[in-house]
Amino acid sequence: MSLFKKVLFPVTLSLDLEQILDNALFLKRLNIQSFDLINVVSSGFGNKDDSLEALHQAVGIIRQKIPYNVSAEVVEGHAASEIVNMARGQDYNLIFIPGHDKNIMN
């Protein structure tokens, strides 16, 4: 059983699909059964529809490769504020922010 039941995974669209999938596998190894991807676009500068389409593509691939309960959401605003607001408002146990370098788990 996992200590964390509900995990929020903020992503930028600069992460490629392979990186997102690798991180999903990492979460699976931690016995986390579900997580939500969130992408925050700057108000007036980002295209929410394009971001949501890219995240839905990622969700579909994750579900094909790993039996996972995963969803995606795109919000507008200041990234840190929106991530924290979502985590607090929906009772997430963990905000998962992966490092970009290798670590002891890789």
Side-chain angles (χ1 to χ4, degrees):
M1 183 165 185
S2 176
L3 177 64
F4 306 110
K5 295 182 186 200
K6 194 170 180 183
V7 175
L8 183 61
F9 180 6
V11 295
T12 64
L13 297 182
S14 64
L15 282 177
D16 66 20
L17 200 49
E18 192 65 33
Q19 290 172 306
I20 294 172
L21 185 58
D22 286 346
N23 286 308
L25 288 167
F26 174 75
L27 291 172
K28 189 70 171 177
R29 283 184 284 180
L30 293 178
N31 203 29
I32 293 169
Q33 299 302 311
S34 69
F35 66 91
D36 297 327
L37 299 174
I38 181 176
N39 177 251
V40 182
V41 295
S42 297
S43 297
F45 292 103
N47 187 328
K48 267 178 91 168
D49 293 334
D50 289 346
S51 296
L52 192 57
E53 184 178 327
L55 288 185
H56 281 290
Q57 178 186 7
V59 166
I61 291 172
I62 290 168
R63 287 180 179 160
Q64 285 176 354
K65 305 249 182 204
I66 312 165
Y68 235 145
N69 181 11
V70 59
S71 65
E73 186 170 345
V74 176
V75 295
E76 286 184 297
H78 178 261
S81 298
E82 294 302 324
I83 292 165
V84 170
N85 288 341
M86 186 172 203
R88 286 183 178 152
Q90 296 186 23
D91 296 323
Y92 285 93
N93 303 110
L94 174 71
I95 300 173
F96 175 69
I97 302 176
H100 293 287
D101 295 323
K102 295 262 183 204
N103 60 49
I104 61 170
M105 298 299 283
N106 293 344

